[in-house]
Amino acid sequence: MIPGKYRSVSGRAANNVNCGLHLVIQTSSLPEKNKVEFKLNKDTSSFPGRLLQHDLERNYSSRQGDHINLVSSSLSSFPILQRSSEEKILYSDRLSLERQKLTVCPIINGEDHLRLLNFQHNFITRIQNISNLQKLISLDLYDNQIEEISGLSTLRCLRVLLLGKNRIKKISNLENLKSLDVLDLHGNQITKIENINHLCELRVLNLARNFLSHVDNLNGLDSLTELNLRHNQITFVRDVDNLPCLQHLFLSFNNISSFDSVSCLADSSSLSDITFDGNPIAQESWYKHTVLQNMMQLRQLDMKRITEEERRMASVLAKKEEEKKRESHKQSLLKEKRRLTINNVARQWDLQQQRVANIATNEDRKDSDSPQDPCQIDGSTLSAFPEETGPLDSGLNNALQGLSVIDTYLVEVDGDTLSLYGSGALESLDRNWSVQTAGMITTVSFTFIEFDEIVQVLPKLKIKFPNSLHLKFKETNLVMLQQFNALAQLRRIDQLTIDPQGNPVVNFTLWKYYVLFRLSHFSMQKINGTEVTQNDMIMAERLFGILAHVASSELPQYRLISILGDARKKQFQYLLESKGKKPGIINEENNDSKRLVGENTNRATLNYTTRDFYNEKLEEIKEKKKFCKTYIEDLVKEATEINMKNEALQKLWPQMFIELVRDAVIEIRNKNSYMKLCLQQITDQK
């Protein structure tokens, strides 16, 4: 009888059971005299029920096979098995043909009542000639050369099917074996788990030592309690959490490298015994406590019982791991927020550059009397890029003290680097920075900010971050060499990095030499990561020294002072007054200029006027021109009127002179009357 359960045991699966067994080879065309008999003359014990264990992939223990005397025959046909009546009575329900050097399954006649059949250690290549054994419960074909599962469709009562150590490449043709309890396919060439979902009564499945790369398609195996997958090439496991009765899972010696690839195991409530030894994951320091904290129901791990102390330690480590995970989640959210904000700033920058380009294009069109397209400059395209970033989780406020995120700009402090993204970030220079943080900043990075806007805050930068020695510019519209003149007002610069992206000035061949010449009083050490050499300084002086000399020598003093501006007047006065004086007799009022003595007059004349300041000056000049024009026009008009009056007078004067003479002659013609009239006028005036 087959026992009710197939529990793990050691030793051989079956013993030979036939005493005096006659194996007869015959064909229908041969007469009775051509029959060849084979006798098995060995007493064997009864055939015990075959029990399957989790290590069925191991070779069965060797033992001395039954001694069989074979008479060779040149005839080729299936062997026919016949037993005597006594043997059938003695071993009515079992038959062992182990180690008989069989290449085919013999024809078994008159044995329809067989329940256990053993073909171990033969050379059988195909399952056949057993379709009549419909009461068969156990079929053992271990260690043969079978390449395909077939010939089993009529064995509806089969409960145990042992096909280990064969050449099977695919699980198939098990549709009618719905009562199967044990299926052993270890030691084959199977690459995929398939065609077993209908085996709802299957309790033990052994697929060890195959070529499986993953585990899935296990739905429907509702009775499975033991699954052996040792010695495969498995990298991930799925569907195991859908097996409600699974208790023992053996995954030793596979390619599992992370718990994420077997995370479904954590959702299994029935698993109590599991093995991972021989996998890369088992070499990790976090292996054991990770498994225990995710699978609290386990009783054994890698064939070792789990103690309460191990569970307690796993629980403690799980809490720490959870804290790390939460912190990592916060950091991930902050990184994502940072990424979205920078993307938003970048889009706004691109739109701004596009609008500027469109305005310039439209102005050119106006100059050429071409029509203007208002749709290109109305700014309505901003709505095409909705804000992607929302408010941060309140739990993230203290995650990074140095990160302040707003949708339209970003201010970030990372170590000794202050990064500013977007023009709105420049307002952060007005905040009250702590002395420690401000003193720690040595690098300031500007991204997506107009250089002209940066120029306006350079004085604040000099005051707020006195130790800043390295400036970085990316997407700042540095387009001409004159813009570098604005950096001369800083306290000190040791390094300068101009990213080619968004800064066309780096396309000029001599831009580095101009920077070294104009900012020579800083004694810069690196430009774009390259060390500055003495030869570079000499070359810079040769290239641009004459330019500065011409700029300063060809202008009168009052004009130089006007160009230098208020911020440079003291310095220029100091440079002029200090000529011929000894170093120790300089007034205290010149202390500020004394600090700037390294920047000589020639270089000081090379200033940069920002676009806004230039526009203001331009507007002022326009107003002056307008006033002057109006004043001159009024003068011209007045002069014209005077001239017109003079010309009219010249035309009327001859006639007027004649009339004056005539009137005078008439008045003095009567001298006495004229005198009386004059006296009367004098009297009236009094």
Side-chain angles (χ1 to χ4, degrees):
M1 293 292 292
I2 299 295
K5 294 184 179 180
Y6 296 88
R7 301 300 297 171
S8 300
V9 295
S10 303
R12 290 285 310 280
N15 296 317
N16 292 330
V17 297
N18 293 304
C19 182
L21 177 66
H22 293 274
L23 186 60
V24 180
I25 300 178
Q26 72 174 28
T27 63
S28 59
S29 60
L30 292 177
E32 187 68 21
K33 64 180 179 180
N34 291 332
K35 185 181 295 184
V36 183
E37 280 194 0
F38 303 94
K39 286 189 176 182
L40 299 177
N41 297 317
K42 182 174 181 182
D43 294 332
T44 59
S45 60
S46 61
F47 195 127
R50 178 159 181 83
L51 307 178
L52 187 66
Q53 59 172 351
H54 57 258
D55 57 348
L56 272 172
E57 73 276 11
R58 299 178 182 174
N59 293 332
Y60 289 81
S61 58
S62 61
R63 68 176 183 84
Q64 187 66 31
D66 298 327
H67 177 70
I68 305 175
N69 294 322
L70 299 175
V71 179
S72 61
S73 171
S74 61
L75 301 176
S76 175
S77 182
F78 290 111
I80 297 178
L81 176 68
Q82 292 182 348
R83 293 196 297 176
S84 64
S85 301
E86 293 79 5
E87 294 165 352
K88 290 182 180 181
I89 294 173
L90 184 60
Y91 307 106
S92 61
D93 61 348
R94 63 198 65 193
L95 174 61
S96 177
L97 297 175
E98 182 180 355
R99 301 182 189 274
Q100 300 301 314
K101 300 181 180 180
L102 297 172
T103 59
V104 296
C105 295
I107 297 174
I108 304 174
N109 290 326
E111 301 284 356
D112 297 345
H113 53 282
L114 277 179
R115 293 163 62 85
L116 288 81
L117 180 57
N118 180 9
F119 284 113
Q120 282 190 23
H121 305 293
N122 282 290
F123 304 98
I124 299 171
T125 59
R126 185 177 179 185
I127 306 173
Q128 53 191 348
N129 298 327
I130 61 173
S131 59
N132 60 314
L133 306 178
Q134 297 187 10
K135 294 184 179 180
L136 199 63
I137 293 178
S138 175
L139 176 60
D140 190 347
L141 285 160
Y142 171 77
D143 191 17
N144 279 277
Q145 299 179 11
I146 298 169
E147 297 183 357
E148 181 182 9
I149 302 174
S150 61
L152 304 175
S153 59
T154 61
L155 307 182
R156 299 180 181 276
C157 296
L158 195 64
R159 300 275 291 167
V160 180
L161 178 58
L162 309 177
L163 290 169
K165 201 175 178 182
N166 278 278
R167 300 177 182 178
I168 299 170
K169 297 181 180 180
K170 182 178 181 181
I171 304 174
S172 60
N173 299 319
L174 299 176
E175 289 77 11
N176 294 332
L177 305 184
K178 296 183 179 180
S179 299
L180 206 58
D181 185 76
V182 177
L183 177 59
D184 178 16
L185 292 168
H186 83 273
N188 283 282
Q189 303 171 21
I190 299 170
T191 60
K192 182 180 180 181
I193 300 176
E194 57 185 338
N195 301 321
I196 60 172
N197 305 96
H198 61 286
L199 302 177
C200 56
E201 295 187 16
L202 188 67
R203 288 190 309 106
V204 179
L205 176 60
N206 189 355
L207 290 169
R209 295 187 184 276
N210 278 280
F211 301 146
L212 298 174
S213 60
H214 57 277
V215 179
D216 57 6
N217 199 21
L218 297 174
N219 295 323
L221 303 180
D222 296 339
S223 300
L224 194 66
T225 60
E226 181 175 313
L227 178 59
N228 190 348
L229 299 167
R230 286 174 171 166
H231 293 280
N232 277 278
Q233 303 166 11
I234 297 169
T235 57
F236 67 88
V237 178
R238 295 175 184 164
D239 293 346
V240 172
D241 52 322
N242 295 327
L243 303 176
C245 298
L246 186 65
Q247 298 178 14
H248 310 283
L249 176 61
F250 306 103
L251 290 165
S252 305
F253 302 100
N254 280 283
N255 294 328
I256 299 171
S257 57
S258 68
F259 189 80
D260 291 338
S261 60
V262 293
S263 58
C264 65
L265 301 179
D267 298 325
S268 175
S269 59
S270 58
L271 265 177
S272 61
D273 184 8
I274 194 169
T275 64
F276 285 113
D277 54 303
N279 284 274
I281 190 177
Q283 306 301 320
E284 302 290 345
S285 57
W286 45 262
Y287 157 65
K288 192 167 187 177
H289 75 262
T290 300
V291 173
L292 292 181
Q293 75 185 38
N294 286 280
M295 305 177 67
M296 298 300 294
Q297 77 280 9
L298 282 185
R299 294 293 175 265
Q300 283 195 155
L301 177 62
D302 295 333
M303 308 304 293
K304 295 179 181 178
R305 186 173 182 82
I306 299 170
T307 64
E308 290 302 320
E309 178 63 18
E310 289 174 330
R311 292 186 188 278
R312 188 186 67 80
M313 289 299 297
S315 178
V316 172
L317 292 173
K319 291 180 180 178
K320 292 182 179 179
E321 194 69 26
E322 186 63 27
E323 291 177 0
K324 288 182 180 179
K325 217 178 263 189
R326 285 197 298 267
E327 184 65 23
S328 176
H329 179 63
K330 291 179 183 178
Q331 298 298 332
S332 297
L333 288 178
L334 287 174
K335 287 180 180 179
E336 181 64 12
K337 178 69 176 178
R338 176 181 182 275
R339 185 187 69 81
L340 293 175
T341 302
I342 293 176
N343 288 345
N344 187 36
V345 174
R347 283 197 302 273
Q348 292 186 355
W349 170 262
D350 291 339
L351 286 173
Q352 178 184 347
Q353 301 308 306
Q354 184 179 0
R355 286 198 300 270
V356 171
N358 289 340
I359 291 173
T361 303
N362 291 328
E363 288 178 353
D364 292 340
R365 289 179 180 176
K366 281 183 178 179
D367 295 339
S368 60
D369 296 329
S370 60
Q372 177 182 1
D373 184 6
C375 296
Q376 294 180 343
I377 60 172
D378 61 0
S380 60
T381 52
L382 280 174
S383 61
F385 297 95
E387 299 290 338
E388 293 185 30
T389 54
L392 281 174
D393 186 357
S394 59
L396 304 182
N397 291 335
N398 298 323
L400 266 182
Q401 296 180 354
L403 185 63
S404 173
V405 180
I406 299 181
D407 291 341
T408 56
Y409 67 87
L410 174 66
V411 179
E412 183 178 24
V413 176
D414 185 9
D416 61 352
T417 301
L418 171 64
S419 299
L420 306 175
Y421 298 86
S423 60
L426 298 177
E427 298 176 2
S428 66
L429 299 178
D430 293 327
R431 73 168 61 165
N432 294 324
W433 293 84
S434 67
V435 177
Q436 182 179 1
T437 302
M440 182 176 60
I441 300 300
T442 60
T443 301
V444 182
S445 175
F446 301 94
T447 309
F448 303 122
I449 308 174
E450 283 284 350
F451 184 79
D452 285 359
E453 297 183 33
I454 298 173
V455 171
Q456 298 174 14
V457 300
L458 288 179
K460 297 178 183 178
L461 190 68
K462 179 174 61 176
I463 296 172
K464 290 285 186 178
F465 307 104
N467 297 326
S468 58
L469 305 175
H470 185 187
L471 295 184
K472 294 182 178 181
F473 298 92
K474 181 178 180 181
E475 292 283 5
T476 56
N477 272 344
L478 271 165
V479 296
M480 53 187 175
L481 297 178
Q482 293 94 318
Q483 290 173 295
F484 291 115
N485 299 339
L487 301 180
Q489 60 183 298
L490 292 174
R491 186 184 301 273
R492 181 183 173 188
I493 304 177
D494 284 353
Q495 295 186 52
L496 185 64
T497 301
I498 310 297
D499 196 294
Q501 185 175 346
N503 295 308
V505 72
V506 299
N507 296 324
F508 299 161
T509 305
L510 303 179
W511 76 272
K512 290 184 180 180
Y513 293 112
Y514 183 80
V515 171
L516 292 176
F517 169 76
R518 183 61 187 86
L519 306 179
S520 61
H521 57 292
F522 289 150
S523 300
M524 296 186 65
Q525 299 176 4
K526 288 183 179 181
I527 295 181
N528 278 15
T530 303
E531 294 283 348
V532 176
T533 64
Q534 188 63 31
N535 291 335
D536 293 333
M537 299 299 297
I538 295 172
M539 181 61 71
E541 185 66 30
R542 287 178 180 176
L543 290 171
F544 297 101
I546 188 64
L547 172 66
H549 176 72
V550 171
S552 60
S553 62
E554 296 299 323
L555 294 175
Q557 179 176 342
Y558 77 91
R559 183 59 178 155
L560 283 176
I561 294 176
S562 175
I563 292 176
L564 291 174
D566 295 337
R568 302 288 183 177
K569 285 181 181 178
K570 287 185 179 180
Q571 175 193 358
F572 182 69
Q573 291 292 339
Y574 169 79
L575 292 172
L576 294 178
E577 294 172 3
S578 62
K579 292 181 180 180
K581 292 185 178 181
K582 294 182 180 180
I585 53 174
I586 300 176
N587 295 332
E588 294 181 359
E589 297 178 356
N590 295 328
N591 286 339
D592 186 60
S593 297
K594 184 179 179 180
R595 182 179 57 81
L596 299 172
V597 71
E599 186 182 10
N600 60 33
T601 308
N602 292 348
R603 290 173 174 80
T605 58
L606 300 176
N607 278 337
Y608 172 65
T609 303
T610 64
R611 190 179 306 150
D612 292 340
F613 183 77
Y614 175 77
N615 291 336
E616 290 177 4
K617 288 293 183 182
L618 192 61
E619 289 296 326
E620 183 179 348
I621 292 172
K622 287 181 179 179
E623 290 293 331
K624 289 181 178 179
K625 285 183 178 180
K626 184 178 179 181
F627 172 78
C628 292
K629 182 179 178 181
T630 304
Y631 181 73
I632 296 299
E633 286 177 351
D634 292 341
L635 289 177
V636 170
K637 183 179 179 181
E638 185 177 353
T640 302
E641 291 177 354
I642 293 173
N643 183 60
M644 291 174 64
K645 290 178 180 179
N646 183 48
E647 290 178 353
L649 179 62
Q650 293 298 326
K651 291 178 180 180
L652 296 174
W653 176 247
Q655 181 65 30
M656 291 174 61
F657 182 76
I658 293 172
E659 292 179 356
L660 288 173
V661 172
R662 187 193 62 186
D663 293 340
V665 171
I666 293 173
E667 286 179 353
I668 64 173
R669 184 176 53 184
N670 188 346
K671 185 176 180 181
N672 293 326
S673 300
Y674 180 72
M675 291 176 63
K676 289 180 181 180
L677 180 63
C678 291
L679 288 173
Q680 183 63 39
Q681 291 176 352
I682 293 171
T683 303
D684 294 340
Q685 289 178 357
K686 290 181 180 181

PDB file of all heavy atoms in Angstrom, residues 507-523:
ATOM      1  N   ASN A 507      33.777  80.637 -27.115  1.00  0.00           N
ATOM      2  CA  ASN A 507      34.145  80.300 -28.489  1.00  0.00           C
ATOM      3  C   ASN A 507      35.234  81.229 -29.027  1.00  0.00           C
ATOM      4  O   ASN A 507      35.816  80.952 -30.074  1.00  0.00           O
ATOM      5  CB  ASN A 507      32.913  80.364 -29.399  1.00  0.00           C
ATOM      6  CG  ASN A 507      31.870  79.328 -29.024  1.00  0.00           C
ATOM      7  OD1 ASN A 507      32.205  78.215 -28.631  1.00  0.00           O
ATOM      8  ND2 ASN A 507      30.599  79.682 -29.136  1.00  0.00           N
ATOM      9  N   PHE A 508      35.492  82.344 -28.311  1.00  0.00           N
ATOM     10  CA  PHE A 508      36.576  83.228 -28.711  1.00  0.00           C
ATOM     11  C   PHE A 508      37.907  82.581 -28.339  1.00  0.00           C
ATOM     12  O   PHE A 508      38.093  82.117 -27.208  1.00  0.00           O
ATOM     13  CB  PHE A 508      36.455  84.589 -28.027  1.00  0.00           C
ATOM     14  CG  PHE A 508      35.196  85.334 -28.359  1.00  0.00           C
ATOM     15  CD1 PHE A 508      34.736  86.366 -27.563  1.00  0.00           C
ATOM     16  CD2 PHE A 508      34.460  84.991 -29.484  1.00  0.00           C
ATOM     17  CE1 PHE A 508      33.572  87.052 -27.870  1.00  0.00           C
ATOM     18  CE2 PHE A 508      33.295  85.672 -29.798  1.00  0.00           C
ATOM     19  CZ  PHE A 508      32.843  86.694 -28.990  1.00  0.00           C
ATOM     20  N   THR A 509      38.838  82.603 -29.233  1.00  0.00           N
ATOM     21  CA  THR A 509      40.112  81.917 -29.018  1.00  0.00           C
ATOM     22  C   THR A 509      40.892  82.505 -27.847  1.00  0.00           C
ATOM     23  O   THR A 509      41.515  81.773 -27.076  1.00  0.00           O
ATOM     24  CB  THR A 509      40.968  81.985 -30.292  1.00  0.00           C
ATOM     25  OG1 THR A 509      40.216  81.457 -31.387  1.00  0.00           O
ATOM     26  CG2 THR A 509      42.255  81.205 -30.137  1.00  0.00           C
ATOM     27  N   LEU A 510      40.837  83.820 -27.688  1.00  0.00           N
ATOM     28  CA  LEU A 510      41.702  84.497 -26.714  1.00  0.00           C
ATOM     29  C   LEU A 510      40.988  84.879 -25.426  1.00  0.00           C
ATOM     30  O   LEU A 510      41.498  85.698 -24.657  1.00  0.00           O
ATOM     31  CB  LEU A 510      42.289  85.756 -27.359  1.00  0.00           C
ATOM     32  CG  LEU A 510      43.084  85.540 -28.651  1.00  0.00           C
ATOM     33  CD1 LEU A 510      43.583  86.872 -29.188  1.00  0.00           C
ATOM     34  CD2 LEU A 510      44.260  84.594 -28.416  1.00  0.00           C
ATOM     35  N   TRP A 511      39.815  84.296 -25.171  1.00  0.00           N
ATOM     36  CA  TRP A 511      39.052  84.755 -24.013  1.00  0.00           C
ATOM     37  C   TRP A 511      39.784  84.506 -22.693  1.00  0.00           C
ATOM     38  O   TRP A 511      39.737  85.332 -21.775  1.00  0.00           O
ATOM     39  CB  TRP A 511      37.661  84.126 -24.000  1.00  0.00           C
ATOM     40  CG  TRP A 511      37.614  82.694 -23.556  1.00  0.00           C
ATOM     41  CD1 TRP A 511      37.756  81.593 -24.322  1.00  0.00           C
ATOM     42  CD2 TRP A 511      37.395  82.214 -22.218  1.00  0.00           C
ATOM     43  NE1 TRP A 511      37.656  80.440 -23.569  1.00  0.00           N
ATOM     44  CE2 TRP A 511      37.422  80.803 -22.277  1.00  0.00           C
ATOM     45  CE3 TRP A 511      37.180  82.828 -20.992  1.00  0.00           C
ATOM     46  CZ2 TRP A 511      37.256  80.010 -21.153  1.00  0.00           C
ATOM     47  CZ3 TRP A 511      36.995  82.035 -19.859  1.00  0.00           C
ATOM     48  CH2 TRP A 511      37.034  80.645 -19.952  1.00  0.00           C
ATOM     49  N   LYS A 512      40.485  83.398 -22.592  1.00  0.00           N
ATOM     50  CA  LYS A 512      41.198  83.099 -21.345  1.00  0.00           C
ATOM     51  C   LYS A 512      42.312  84.118 -21.103  1.00  0.00           C
ATOM     52  O   LYS A 512      42.538  84.558 -19.964  1.00  0.00           O
ATOM     53  CB  LYS A 512      41.766  81.698 -21.387  1.00  0.00           C
ATOM     54  CG  LYS A 512      40.717  80.601 -21.327  1.00  0.00           C
ATOM     55  CD  LYS A 512      41.364  79.228 -21.272  1.00  0.00           C
ATOM     56  CE  LYS A 512      40.307  78.134 -21.222  1.00  0.00           C
ATOM     57  NZ  LYS A 512      40.926  76.787 -21.178  1.00  0.00           N
ATOM     58  N   TYR A 513      42.999  84.503 -22.169  1.00  0.00           N
ATOM     59  CA  TYR A 513      44.082  85.470 -22.016  1.00  0.00           C
ATOM     60  C   TYR A 513      43.538  86.840 -21.610  1.00  0.00           C
ATOM     61  O   TYR A 513      44.174  87.563 -20.827  1.00  0.00           O
ATOM     62  CB  TYR A 513      44.878  85.571 -23.318  1.00  0.00           C
ATOM     63  CG  TYR A 513      45.631  84.303 -23.644  1.00  0.00           C
ATOM     64  CD1 TYR A 513      45.269  83.517 -24.729  1.00  0.00           C
ATOM     65  CD2 TYR A 513      46.704  83.888 -22.859  1.00  0.00           C
ATOM     66  CE1 TYR A 513      45.963  82.354 -25.028  1.00  0.00           C
ATOM     67  CE2 TYR A 513      47.404  82.724 -23.149  1.00  0.00           C
ATOM     68  CZ  TYR A 513      47.024  81.961 -24.236  1.00  0.00           C
ATOM     69  OH  TYR A 513      47.703  80.811 -24.516  1.00  0.00           O
ATOM     70  N   TYR A 514      42.369  87.191 -22.136  1.00  0.00           N
ATOM     71  CA  TYR A 514      41.783  88.468 -21.740  1.00  0.00           C
ATOM     72  C   TYR A 514      41.415  88.445 -20.260  1.00  0.00           C
ATOM     73  O   TYR A 514      41.625  89.435 -19.538  1.00  0.00           O
ATOM     74  CB  TYR A 514      40.551  88.788 -22.576  1.00  0.00           C
ATOM     75  CG  TYR A 514      39.964  90.136 -22.249  1.00  0.00           C
ATOM     76  CD1 TYR A 514      40.521  91.297 -22.772  1.00  0.00           C
ATOM     77  CD2 TYR A 514      38.887  90.267 -21.376  1.00  0.00           C
ATOM     78  CE1 TYR A 514      40.014  92.556 -22.456  1.00  0.00           C
ATOM     79  CE2 TYR A 514      38.376  91.505 -21.040  1.00  0.00           C
ATOM     80  CZ  TYR A 514      38.940  92.649 -21.585  1.00  0.00           C
ATOM     81  OH  TYR A 514      38.442  93.880 -21.252  1.00  0.00           O
ATOM     82  N   VAL A 515      40.856  87.340 -19.793  1.00  0.00           N
ATOM     83  CA  VAL A 515      40.515  87.217 -18.368  1.00  0.00           C
ATOM     84  C   VAL A 515      41.766  87.366 -17.513  1.00  0.00           C
ATOM     85  O   VAL A 515      41.775  88.085 -16.497  1.00  0.00           O
ATOM     86  CB  VAL A 515      39.821  85.866 -18.105  1.00  0.00           C
ATOM     87  CG1 VAL A 515      39.672  85.628 -16.606  1.00  0.00           C
ATOM     88  CG2 VAL A 515      38.455  85.824 -18.773  1.00  0.00           C
ATOM     89  N   LEU A 516      42.848  86.693 -17.907  1.00  0.00           N
ATOM     90  CA  LEU A 516      44.087  86.774 -17.130  1.00  0.00           C
ATOM     91  C   LEU A 516      44.646  88.194 -17.134  1.00  0.00           C
ATOM     92  O   LEU A 516      45.169  88.675 -16.118  1.00  0.00           O
ATOM     93  CB  LEU A 516      45.120  85.799 -17.710  1.00  0.00           C
ATOM     94  CG  LEU A 516      44.806  84.313 -17.532  1.00  0.00           C
ATOM     95  CD1 LEU A 516      45.849  83.456 -18.232  1.00  0.00           C
ATOM     96  CD2 LEU A 516      44.740  83.947 -16.052  1.00  0.00           C
ATOM     97  N   PHE A 517      44.521  88.887 -18.269  1.00  0.00           N
ATOM     98  CA  PHE A 517      45.019  90.258 -18.337  1.00  0.00           C
ATOM     99  C   PHE A 517      44.174  91.205 -17.491  1.00  0.00           C
ATOM    100  O   PHE A 517      44.700  91.970 -16.676  1.00  0.00           O
ATOM    101  CB  PHE A 517      45.029  90.723 -19.797  1.00  0.00           C
ATOM    102  CG  PHE A 517      45.279  92.190 -19.945  1.00  0.00           C
ATOM    103  CD1 PHE A 517      46.553  92.705 -19.793  1.00  0.00           C
ATOM    104  CD2 PHE A 517      44.222  93.060 -20.207  1.00  0.00           C
ATOM    105  CE1 PHE A 517      46.780  94.069 -19.918  1.00  0.00           C
ATOM    106  CE2 PHE A 517      44.449  94.417 -20.334  1.00  0.00           C
ATOM    107  CZ  PHE A 517      45.730  94.920 -20.183  1.00  0.00           C
ATOM    108  N   ARG A 518      42.861  91.136 -17.676  1.00  0.00           N
ATOM    109  CA  ARG A 518      41.984  92.080 -16.984  1.00  0.00           C
ATOM    110  C   ARG A 518      41.951  91.835 -15.489  1.00  0.00           C
ATOM    111  O   ARG A 518      41.826  92.767 -14.692  1.00  0.00           O
ATOM    112  CB  ARG A 518      40.562  91.976 -17.553  1.00  0.00           C
ATOM    113  CG  ARG A 518      39.595  92.984 -16.946  1.00  0.00           C
ATOM    114  CD  ARG A 518      40.056  94.398 -17.230  1.00  0.00           C
ATOM    115  NE  ARG A 518      39.255  95.408 -16.536  1.00  0.00           N
ATOM    116  CZ  ARG A 518      39.483  95.824 -15.309  1.00  0.00           C
ATOM    117  NH1 ARG A 518      40.510  95.324 -14.610  1.00  0.00           N
ATOM    118  NH2 ARG A 518      38.732  96.768 -14.745  1.00  0.00           N
ATOM    119  N   LEU A 519      42.059  90.597 -15.063  1.00  0.00           N
ATOM    120  CA  LEU A 519      41.989  90.257 -13.634  1.00  0.00           C
ATOM    121  C   LEU A 519      43.352  89.837 -13.108  1.00  0.00           C
ATOM    122  O   LEU A 519      43.453  89.007 -12.198  1.00  0.00           O
ATOM    123  CB  LEU A 519      40.976  89.124 -13.420  1.00  0.00           C
ATOM    124  CG  LEU A 519      39.568  89.365 -13.980  1.00  0.00           C
ATOM    125  CD1 LEU A 519      38.692  88.150 -13.717  1.00  0.00           C
ATOM    126  CD2 LEU A 519      38.935  90.618 -13.389  1.00  0.00           C
ATOM    127  N   SER A 520      44.404  90.427 -13.668  1.00  0.00           N
ATOM    128  CA  SER A 520      45.761  90.019 -13.273  1.00  0.00           C
ATOM    129  C   SER A 520      46.050  90.327 -11.814  1.00  0.00           C
ATOM    130  O   SER A 520      46.866  89.660 -11.181  1.00  0.00           O
ATOM    131  CB  SER A 520      46.785  90.714 -14.168  1.00  0.00           C
ATOM    132  OG  SER A 520      46.680  92.135 -14.027  1.00  0.00           O
ATOM    133  N   HIS A 521      45.372  91.338 -11.245  1.00  0.00           N
ATOM    134  CA  HIS A 521      45.612  91.683  -9.846  1.00  0.00           C
ATOM    135  C   HIS A 521      45.101  90.615  -8.887  1.00  0.00           C
ATOM    136  O   HIS A 521      45.403  90.658  -7.695  1.00  0.00           O
ATOM    137  CB  HIS A 521      44.968  93.033  -9.520  1.00  0.00           C
ATOM    138  CG  HIS A 521      43.495  93.086  -9.793  1.00  0.00           C
ATOM    139  ND1 HIS A 521      42.974  93.038 -11.066  1.00  0.00           N
ATOM    140  CD2 HIS A 521      42.434  93.195  -8.946  1.00  0.00           C
ATOM    141  CE1 HIS A 521      41.659  93.118 -11.004  1.00  0.00           C
ATOM    142  NE2 HIS A 521      41.301  93.216  -9.732  1.00  0.00           N
ATOM    143  N   PHE A 522      44.302  89.646  -9.392  1.00  0.00           N
ATOM    144  CA  PHE A 522      43.826  88.543  -8.550  1.00  0.00           C
ATOM    145  C   PHE A 522      44.805  87.373  -8.520  1.00  0.00           C
ATOM    146  O   PHE A 522      44.657  86.468  -7.698  1.00  0.00           O
ATOM    147  CB  PHE A 522      42.470  88.034  -9.053  1.00  0.00           C
ATOM    148  CG  PHE A 522      41.336  88.989  -8.800  1.00  0.00           C
ATOM    149  CD1 PHE A 522      40.248  89.031  -9.658  1.00  0.00           C
ATOM    150  CD2 PHE A 522      41.357  89.829  -7.708  1.00  0.00           C
ATOM    151  CE1 PHE A 522      39.197  89.901  -9.427  1.00  0.00           C
ATOM    152  CE2 PHE A 522      40.306  90.704  -7.467  1.00  0.00           C
ATOM    153  CZ  PHE A 522      39.224  90.745  -8.330  1.00  0.00           C
ATOM    154  N   SER A 523      45.766  87.346  -9.450  1.00  0.00           N
ATOM    155  CA  SER A 523      46.710  86.215  -9.554  1.00  0.00           C
ATOM    156  C   SER A 523      45.961  84.889  -9.607  1.00  0.00           C
ATOM    157  O   SER A 523      46.141  84.000  -8.760  1.00  0.00           O
ATOM    158  CB  SER A 523      47.689  86.223  -8.376  1.00  0.00           C
ATOM    159  OG  SER A 523      48.435  87.415  -8.357  1.00  0.00           O
TER     160      SER A 523
END
